[in-house]
């Protein structure tokens, strides 16, 4: 008998969330961002549900090959472009559109022998200081690219650092508009947070939603997924494998960090950090037992966590436990809440789902 833990992927929610992205996109075409193996969901598992996307954006070349192997003939964009010159051969063979964010990538293109001219997305560093040409050299890069026979169409791209928070997008949008003014080509600016919070200010030809497609609120805890009408696309569920009765003063787990201040029934769940549950989730992290909301007590260990059974007195070994996602009887536990209790973001929990957890498409 395998451990009772499993993850479920919900295609109906993926399709719904993608439709939400399209609603927000003001007519722009929508890349479904499927990097990091579709934010931990599995590219092959999400593909059918996301077929209504206009393109798939990712960054591993092997993942681009997987999208093509699924039969997708539409646009595929490499968000970080090529990592070495021979990547261009794959771009030619699989007709991948690719980001150009530094000079070496232009050098490689200039030396690339191809019958098929490439579509590239020239990236402006409008303030995030991660990838892209700074405003002072952006136009020179555009001119170089435009002179290459290897390049067909040049699109223009930037990425926001603060679309989810108080910083907003205004300064970066202004920088982008200033630099690309008068240049031909399609534009793409918005990630999920920009789409949900600044759709009009970031309107362009393409949008690039990631986390919202997977039901995460990019600006949690300011807003939650329900506020943005997003549905969870991943459930992590398990069962109780033991129950303990604690007396006042009894402790739980490694380091004895939790001390019972009253008689307490606790359940032991077959899920730990080796499954991708965050070790830094403090006592008090929400969890559902038989669809009833309760909380963790004590430290997360490799294979187990412990939970307070006070609100679910009938829970016993074998009871259903929802770590995040959809619980029984319509109960929901947003992944963002669990992430928040662990000092991280839903993105990280999705991506960190461990290989040992069996995943099923619901
Ligand atoms: C260039 C780019 N575009 C879009 C996205 C999608 O972002 P989000 O998941 O916040 O929507 C990312 C993710 O980091 C990215 O790097």
């Amino acid at each position: 008998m395998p451990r009772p833990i499993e993850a479920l992927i919900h295609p109906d929610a993926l399709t719904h969330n993608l439709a939400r992205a399209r609603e927000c996109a003001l007519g722009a075409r929508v890349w479904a961002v499927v990097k990091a193996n579709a934010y931990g969901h599995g590219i092959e598992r999400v593909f059918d549900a996301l077929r209504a996307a206009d393109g798939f954006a990712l960054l591993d070349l092997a993942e681009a090959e997987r999208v093509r192997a699924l039969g997708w003939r539409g646009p595929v964009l490499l968000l970080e472009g090529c990592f070495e010159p021979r990547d261009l051969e794959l771009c030619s063979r699989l007709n991948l559109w690719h980001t150009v964010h530094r000079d070496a990538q232009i050098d490689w293109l200039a030396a690339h022998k191809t019958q098929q001219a490439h579509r590239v997305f020239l990236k402006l560093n409008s303030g995030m200081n991660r990838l892209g040409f700074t405003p002072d050299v952006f136009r020179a890069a555009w001119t170089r690219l435009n002179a290459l026979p290897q390049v067909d169409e040049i699109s223009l791209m930037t990425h926001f650092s603060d679309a989810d928070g108080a910083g907003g997008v205004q300064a970066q949008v202004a920088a982008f508009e200033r630099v690309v003014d008068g240049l031909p080509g399609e534009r793409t600016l918005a990630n999920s947070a920009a789409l949900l919070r600044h759709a009009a200010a970031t309107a362009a030809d393409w949008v690039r939603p990631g986390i919202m497609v997977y039901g995460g609120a990019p600006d949690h805890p300011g807003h939650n997924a329900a506020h943005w009408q997003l549905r969870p696309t991943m459930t992590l569920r398990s069962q109780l494998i033991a129950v303990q009765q604690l007396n006042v003063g009894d402790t739980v787990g490694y380091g004895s960090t939790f001390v019972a201040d009253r008689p307490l029934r606790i359940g032991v769940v077959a899920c730990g950090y080796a499954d991708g549950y965050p070790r830094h989730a403090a006592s008090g992290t929400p969890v559902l037992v038989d669809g009833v909301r309760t909380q963790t007590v004590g430290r997360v260990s490799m294979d187990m966590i412990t939970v307070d059974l006070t609100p679910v007195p009938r829970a016993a070994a074998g009871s259903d436990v929802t770590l995040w996602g959809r619980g029984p009887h319509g109960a929901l536990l947003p992944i963002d809440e669990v992430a928040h209790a662990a000092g991280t973001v839903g993105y990280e929990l999705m991506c960190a789902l461990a290989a040992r957890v069996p995943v099923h498409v619901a």
Side-chain angles (χ1 to χ4, degrees):
M1 167 101 179
R3 284 170 81 231
I5 191 165
E6 65 173 345
L8 300 176
I9 306 300
H10 306 296
D12 56 336
L14 287 159
T15 301
H16 166 86
N17 295 338
L18 180 68
R20 282 285 298 133
R22 199 178 282 290
E23 271 170 25
C24 299
L26 305 175
R29 275 157 290 160
V30 180
W31 301 105
V33 179
V34 294
K35 67 192 171 102
N37 199 21
Y39 288 48
H41 290 60
I43 287 177
E44 289 74 11
R45 294 188 198 103
V46 302
F47 177 71
D48 270 334
L50 299 181
R51 267 181 191 278
D54 298 297
F56 290 93
L58 41 72
L59 47 84
D60 261 313
L61 280 95
E63 290 186 343
E65 286 186 285
R66 283 163 60 193
V67 170
R68 286 288 183 238
L70 286 163
W72 177 255
R73 294 178 178 208
V76 174
L77 174 63
L78 297 177
L79 288 166
E80 295 184 358
C82 295
F83 299 98
E84 57 176 334
R86 67 176 180 166
D87 294 349
L88 288 166
E89 289 159 25
L90 199 71
C91 292
S92 290
R93 186 152 53 80
L94 297 182
N95 186 21
L96 308 178
W97 300 358
H98 50 103
T99 301
V100 172
H101 63 82
R102 65 180 174 119
D103 284 315
Q105 292 172 323
I106 306 181
D107 300 339
W108 303 339
L109 262 169
H112 179 52
K113 293 187 176 43
T114 181
Q115 307 296 330
Q116 195 194 1
H118 290 202
R119 174 149 181 191
V120 296
F121 281 64
L122 184 62
K123 186 159 187 177
L124 174 72
N125 172 7
S126 57
M128 188 170 190
N129 290 316
R130 214 172 51 172
L131 298 184
F133 294 91
T134 49
D136 53 325
V137 295
F138 185 84
R139 276 179 175 261
W142 187 90
T143 304
R144 265 194 86 197
L145 272 178
N146 194 43
L148 296 182
Q150 292 89 343
V151 172
D152 166 20
E153 208 175 320
I154 307 173
S155 303
L156 309 167
M157 171 178 182
T158 197
H159 189 55
F160 296 119
S161 53
D162 291 279
D164 56 332
V169 296
Q170 210 183 349
Q172 285 187 264
V173 170
F176 182 76
E177 282 174 355
R178 207 167 40 244
V179 176
V180 305
D181 186 42
L183 289 179
E186 293 191 331
R187 274 92 162 129
T188 173
L189 292 87
N191 58 359
S192 298
L195 252 184
L196 291 167
R197 295 165 60 98
H198 307 283
T202 63
D205 300 287
W206 291 87
V207 293
R208 310 186 306 271
I211 194 67
M212 71 178 290
V213 172
Y214 305 99
D219 54 356
H220 183 90
H223 295 111
N224 62 21
H227 172 87
W228 295 121
Q229 298 164 51
L230 301 170
R231 299 181 187 160
T233 59
M234 179 192 285
T235 292
L236 179 62
R237 72 181 189 194
S238 184
Q239 289 179 7
L240 297 184
I241 56 169
V243 171
Q244 302 290 345
Q245 180 66 49
L246 305 188
N247 297 312
V248 174
D250 284 349
T251 64
V252 183
Y254 288 118
S256 302
T257 56
F258 180 85
V259 186
D261 61 359
R262 58 194 159 90
L264 195 66
R265 230 175 135 241
I266 62 162
V268 181
V269 184
C271 177
Y273 61 77
D275 300 299
Y277 194 86
R279 201 185 86 87
H280 294 291
S283 281
T285 300
V287 57
L288 307 179
V289 176
D290 285 337
V292 176
R293 197 177 168 105
T294 181
Q295 56 183 25
T296 63
V297 291
R299 273 196 197 148
V300 173
S301 41
M302 183 183 288
D303 312 300
M304 285 173 270
I305 59 170
T306 32
V307 299
D308 180 1
L309 295 181
T310 309
V312 250
R314 274 192 268 182
S319 286
D320 187 290
V321 178
T322 308
L323 288 316
W324 59 70
R326 290 186 191 174
H329 323 300
L332 290 182
L333 178 53
I335 195 168
D336 296 325
E337 284 190 40
V338 180
H340 187 66
T344 184
V345 288
Y347 297 75
E348 186 180 358
L349 300 195
M350 294 172 186
C351 292
L353 185 72
R356 80 172 185 180
V357 177
V359 184
H360 301 109
V361 177

